[in-house]
């Protein structure tokens, strides 16, 4: 896009959501813009909102010249959108004028010109100081006047007069056969041309807008869906917003503690995209419910788009696994949008999601499931729609969780809408059929930017929610369900037998220890008895020897003998 040209060309902001973004600032100021399309596509409403937003948001009064509806009819038609035309007229911010053109009431005398229209229009502009003008639908003039050559010359003069007046004008026209309008108005209004259309596909109608031409300015060139609701017109740019969205390192919980552990102990990255895929009944919606509940428990808002179940049905189902989503809805932290995919077209769904996100400002968005959008041959369109949605949410740092149903017999590691390459974290839920029963298992196929578990974990959906179990490997591989229970029971029995054998051996050792201790005690007592007896014998012998020596000494003393010689003699004896 050329910002240099856009900065030079003056523009008048429309105030219509999305249109100013597509036109890079608004309509060409001081020049006419052609808005053309078939009946019921929204030409009059777009032109009217252009005037109302200009008067209320930008201080630019406007004039609306109608050729088909009276001022009263216009006021009634837009009142349902919250626009009070009568009040704006009373305040001098808006002027309404109805120019009736009835062929039966016209009588041609002399040369025809639009001088009368110039006078009425000029008076209305000058009376309120108008900066914006709408002519709706100017082609009605052609229906009453037979000479198209003269009328076209007058139209050229009218458009030149509008430019000279310096007003920003919108001229509406009916779609023609083989050309933009029935009378070729695009030949005269060549600065900016916007086409509106009402397209049908798969029995669904969608309004679309396209900026066909914008002289002197860059602009979006695709078809853009637009929505008419209680807030007026909202146009959704459908082109990808690029890859310059902000990135966060903050982590948020999945709502299942053991799953957070598998995701590097911290859960998902904030602002990332998460895909939960699997066959029917594997627990995709239950996991989405956990994520929504965890978001609300943090005091953040969650927006839940359901395409197969009503909000009441989802809340009832989640209560059976211990999740009270109704409580969070009552607190205003959780909002449901439940609608069939056939309610409107893909781009209109995208528009509705954009509008809901902008109004509710959630931190988490859940779409359950994506497959509801898939019809015959529209996979590429669905991928384009989801690509734009993911970009939109990432630009706002909104964490998105999508569920996707994988049909039986297909490869589990694929998605119908082929968006797996756009996803940051992909959780695969599987149904494992062993031993005549089906059990659930979870695996993380990928999770960008974080270390994550490579295990396939069995999980149960209990009264208290999802419970991940430890991996259990038996002789034949990973076991789940009753096979796991049987193997666990057998191993517990074997372990019990081993434990009992160990206890028996321990008791035998204790018995032998007791016997041995008793034997040692008996030997010790016997030894001590023998030792005591021996010591007593030694003591008696020592006493005897001492007594003998004492007796000899006494005898020698009595005999008055040489004790030494006597003792020697006694020794010789």
């Amino acid at each position: 896009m050329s910002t240099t040209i856009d900065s030079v060309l003056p523009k008048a902001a429309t105030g219509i959501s999305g249109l100013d973004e597509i036109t890079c600032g608004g309509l060409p100021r001081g020049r006419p813009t052609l808005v053309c399309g078939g009946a019921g596509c929204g030409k009059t409403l777009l032109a009217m909102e252009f005037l109302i937003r200009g008067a209320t948001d930008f201080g630019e009064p406007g004039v609306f010249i109608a050729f088909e509806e009276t001022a009263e009819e216009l006021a009634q038609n837009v009142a349902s959108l919250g626009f009070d035309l009568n009040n704006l007229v009373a305040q001098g911010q808006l002027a309404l004028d109805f120019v009736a053109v009835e062929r039966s009431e016209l009588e041609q005398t002399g040369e025809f010109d639009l001088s009368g229209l110039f006078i009425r229009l000029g008076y209305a502009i000058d009376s309120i100081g108008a900066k914006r003008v709408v002519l709706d639908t100017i082609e009605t003039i052609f229906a009453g006047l037979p000479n198209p050559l003269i009328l076209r010359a007058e139209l050229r003069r009218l458009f030149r007069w509008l430019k000279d007046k310096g007003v920003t004008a919108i001229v509406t026209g009916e779609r023609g056969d083989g050309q933009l309008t029935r009378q070729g108005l695009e030949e005269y209004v060549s600065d900016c041309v916007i086409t509106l259309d009402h397209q049908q596909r798969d029995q669904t109608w969608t309004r679309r807008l396209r900026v066909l031409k914008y002289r002197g300015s860059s602009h979006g060139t695709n078809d853009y869906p637009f929505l008419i609701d209680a807030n007026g017109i909202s146009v959704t740019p459908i082109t990808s917003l690029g890859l310059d969205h902000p990135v966060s390192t903050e982590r948020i919980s999945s709502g299942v503690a053991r799953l957070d552990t598998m995701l590097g102990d911290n859960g998902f990255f904030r602002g990332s995209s998460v895909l939960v895929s699997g066959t029917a009944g594997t627990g995709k919606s239950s996991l989405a419910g956990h994520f929504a509940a965890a978001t609300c428990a943090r005091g953040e808002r969650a927006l839940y788009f359901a395409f197969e179940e009503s909000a009441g049905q989802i809340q009832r189902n989640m209560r059976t696994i211990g999740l009270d989503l109704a409580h969070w809805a009552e607190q205003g932290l959780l909002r449901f949008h439940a609608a069939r995919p056939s309610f409107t077209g893909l781009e209109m769904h995208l528009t509705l999601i954009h509008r809901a996100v902008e109004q509710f400002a959630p931190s988490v968005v859940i779409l359950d499931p994506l497959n509801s959008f898939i019809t015959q041959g529209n996979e590429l369109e669905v991928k384009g729609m989801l690509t734009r949605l993911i970009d939109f949410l990432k630009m706002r740092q909104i964490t998105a969780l999508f569920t996707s149903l994988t049909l039986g017999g297909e490869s589990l590691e694929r998605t119908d809408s082929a968006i797996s390459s756009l996803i940051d974290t992909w959780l695969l839920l599987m149904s494992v059929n062993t031993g005549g029963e089906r059990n659930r298992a979870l695996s993380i196929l990928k999770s960008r930017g974080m270390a994550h578990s490579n295990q396939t974990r069995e999980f149960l959906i209990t009264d208290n929610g999802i419970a991940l179990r430890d991996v259990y490997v038996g002789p034949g591989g990973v076991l789940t369900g009753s096979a796991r229970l049987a193997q666990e029971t057998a191993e517990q029995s074997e372990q019990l037998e081993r434990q009992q054998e160990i206890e028996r051996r321990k008791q035998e050792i204790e018995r032998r220890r007791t016997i041995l201790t008793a034997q040692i005690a008996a030997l010790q007592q016997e030894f001590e008895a023998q030792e005591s007896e021996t010591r007593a014998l030694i003591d008696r012998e020592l006493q005897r020897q001492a007594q003998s020596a004492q007796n000899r000494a006494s005898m020698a003393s009595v005999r008055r003998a040489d004790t030494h010689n006597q003792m020697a003699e006694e020794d010789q004896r």
Side-chain angles (χ1 to χ4, degrees):
M1 295 184 180
S2 176
T3 56
T4 303
I5 294 178
D6 291 347
S7 62
V8 172
L9 182 67
K11 294 188 177 183
T14 65
I16 297 175
S17 176
L19 183 56
D20 290 334
E21 180 181 351
I22 295 169
T23 56
C24 298
L27 304 182
R29 183 176 294 279
R31 301 184 185 187
T33 295
L34 173 63
V35 178
C36 58
C41 62
K43 301 184 299 297
T44 300
L45 179 58
L46 186 146
M48 180 62 76
E49 187 167 353
F50 167 72
L51 287 188
I52 294 173
R53 300 296 182 190
T56 57
D57 298 345
F58 306 109
E60 297 185 358
V63 174
F64 194 101
I65 303 296
F67 297 98
E68 293 182 341
E69 297 177 287
T70 65
E72 292 76 13
E73 291 172 339
L74 287 171
Q76 292 175 356
N77 292 344
V78 300
S80 62
L81 304 179
F83 301 145
D84 189 350
L85 294 188
N86 294 328
N87 183 48
L88 292 175
V89 171
Q91 295 177 0
Q93 295 179 299
L94 199 65
L96 303 178
D97 195 3
F98 172 61
V99 179
V101 179
E102 295 291 342
R103 185 179 183 86
S104 59
E105 298 177 0
L106 295 178
E107 181 178 351
Q108 184 173 358
T109 58
E111 295 294 331
F112 168 81
D113 61 36
L114 296 177
S115 298
L117 178 61
F118 292 168
I119 293 173
R120 294 178 67 166
L121 184 55
Y123 174 77
I125 292 174
D126 295 338
S127 64
I128 62 172
K131 301 296 183 182
R132 303 186 180 203
V133 171
V134 170
L135 302 177
D136 180 55
T137 301
I138 197 172
E139 284 187 319
T140 306
I141 299 176
F142 288 97
L145 298 173
N147 193 334
L149 296 178
I150 296 177
L151 187 54
R152 290 182 180 184
E154 288 299 300
L155 286 176
R156 289 191 182 94
R157 191 161 68 95
L158 172 62
F159 295 141
R160 173 50 56 187
W161 182 87
L162 291 171
K163 286 185 178 182
D164 294 341
K165 200 71 175 176
V167 293
T168 305
I170 286 182
V171 179
T172 66
E174 293 289 341
R175 194 64 181 262
D177 185 11
Q179 53 188 357
L180 291 181
T181 61
R182 295 176 183 175
Q183 302 298 329
L185 290 178
E186 64 273 14
E187 296 179 5
Y188 319 119
V189 187
S190 59
D191 293 306
C192 183
V193 178
I194 298 176
T195 62
L196 305 182
D197 196 6
H198 211 184
Q199 300 178 6
Q200 180 189 18
R201 175 161 184 171
D202 297 328
Q203 300 181 350
T204 301
W205 289 87
T206 303
R207 291 185 174 92
R208 294 178 180 267
L209 176 149
R210 182 186 178 195
V211 181
L212 185 65
K213 180 179 181 180
Y214 201 143
R215 178 174 293 171
S217 172
S218 57
H219 60 278
T221 58
N222 292 318
D223 281 347
Y224 301 92
F226 69 94
L227 177 66
I228 299 176
D229 61 9
N231 297 313
I233 290 179
S234 175
V235 186
T236 303
I238 64 173
T239 50
S240 176
L241 299 177
L243 296 175
D244 57 348
H245 48 76
V247 176
S248 173
T249 57
E250 181 184 356
R251 306 284 280 275
I252 59 176
S253 174
S254 66
V256 180
R258 300 199 74 181
L259 177 56
D260 292 343
T261 302
M262 294 179 68
L263 292 165
D265 295 328
N266 293 299
F268 307 123
F269 280 120
R270 183 178 295 278
S272 63
S273 55
V274 181
L275 176 65
V276 181
S277 66
T279 54
T282 51
K284 300 181 294 298
S285 296
S286 298
L287 198 57
H290 272 281
F291 190 39
T295 300
C296 297
R298 293 193 302 270
E300 301 175 4
R301 294 182 176 182
L303 190 57
Y304 197 121
F305 291 93
F307 302 110
E308 290 184 348
E309 298 177 289
S310 67
Q313 186 176 359
I314 293 174
Q315 293 171 6
R316 180 202 65 189
N317 295 344
M318 292 301 106
R319 277 196 296 269
T320 63
I321 63 172
L323 297 177
D324 189 3
L325 298 187
H327 167 73
W328 299 120
E330 293 170 357
Q331 295 294 319
L333 293 175
L334 177 61
R335 180 175 294 179
F336 288 92
H337 282 264
R340 291 291 183 187
S342 56
F343 170 72
T344 186
L346 286 176
E347 302 303 344
M348 189 57 66
H349 273 292
L350 180 60
T351 303
L352 291 171
I353 293 173
H354 277 221
R355 175 66 62 84
V357 168
E358 290 170 353
Q359 291 178 347
F360 191 56
S363 62
V364 164
V365 168
I366 297 171
L367 269 72
D368 180 31
L370 296 179
N371 304 75
S372 300
F373 294 104
I374 305 295
T375 60
Q376 186 64 33
N378 75 336
E379 290 85 354
L380 291 178
E381 294 183 11
V382 173
K383 182 177 181 180
M385 173 253 196
L386 295 176
T387 300
R388 295 187 293 272
L389 176 59
I390 290 173
D391 283 343
F392 169 75
L393 296 176
K394 284 191 174 183
M395 286 296 294
R396 287 160 176 76
Q397 281 292 279
I398 296 174
T399 309
L401 185 143
F402 308 96
T403 69
S404 178
L405 173 66
T406 303
L407 301 180
E410 296 184 351
S411 172
L412 293 178
E413 298 182 11
R414 69 176 296 274
T415 56
D416 287 335
S417 50
I419 64 163
S420 58
S421 61
L422 306 174
I423 295 298
D424 298 311
T425 299
W426 186 358
L427 307 180
L428 176 62
L429 306 185
M430 295 166 285
S431 182
V432 182
N433 191 352
T434 56
E437 64 181 20
R438 303 180 71 88
N439 299 291
R440 299 179 177 92
L442 178 148
S443 178
I444 302 174
L445 291 186
K446 72 172 182 178
S447 192
R448 291 171 176 162
M450 68 177 74
H452 56 275
S453 173
N454 64 350
Q455 292 183 326
T456 297
R457 302 278 292 276
E458 181 186 7
F459 71 94
L460 304 177
I461 299 180
T462 71
D463 293 341
N464 296 316
I466 290 178
L468 282 171
R469 308 189 70 184
D470 293 331
V471 174
Y472 193 88
V473 181
V478 177
L479 300 179
T480 60
S482 59
R484 171 176 180 158
L485 180 61
Q487 182 65 26
E488 286 180 339
T489 302
E491 291 186 358
Q492 289 174 358
S493 298
E494 292 178 4
Q495 184 177 2
L496 179 60
E497 291 178 1
R498 290 194 299 269
Q499 187 66 33
Q500 291 175 344
E501 177 66 17
I502 291 173
E503 290 296 327
R504 188 187 65 78
R505 288 179 176 271
K506 288 172 62 177
Q507 292 175 1
E508 177 66 19
I509 289 175
E510 288 298 322
R511 186 184 66 81
R512 296 184 63 182
R513 183 192 304 277
T514 302
I515 295 174
L516 182 60
T517 302
Q519 291 176 347
I520 293 174
L523 292 174
Q524 183 72 25
Q525 292 176 357
E526 182 181 355
F527 173 77
E528 290 176 352
Q530 292 178 357
E531 182 182 29
S532 177
E533 183 179 355
T534 301
R535 289 185 178 277
L537 180 62
I538 293 173
D539 290 340
R540 288 195 300 271
E541 178 63 22
L542 291 176
Q543 290 176 1
R544 186 190 65 78
Q545 291 178 1
Q547 185 64 40
S548 298
Q550 184 176 6
N551 291 337
R552 287 194 300 269
S554 298
M555 186 178 294
S557 176
V558 171
R559 294 176 179 177
R560 299 181 180 271
D562 186 350
T563 302
H564 177 73
N565 294 333
Q566 183 178 0
M567 291 179 65
E569 291 176 356
E570 290 179 356
D571 290 336
Q572 290 178 358
R573 294 192 188 112

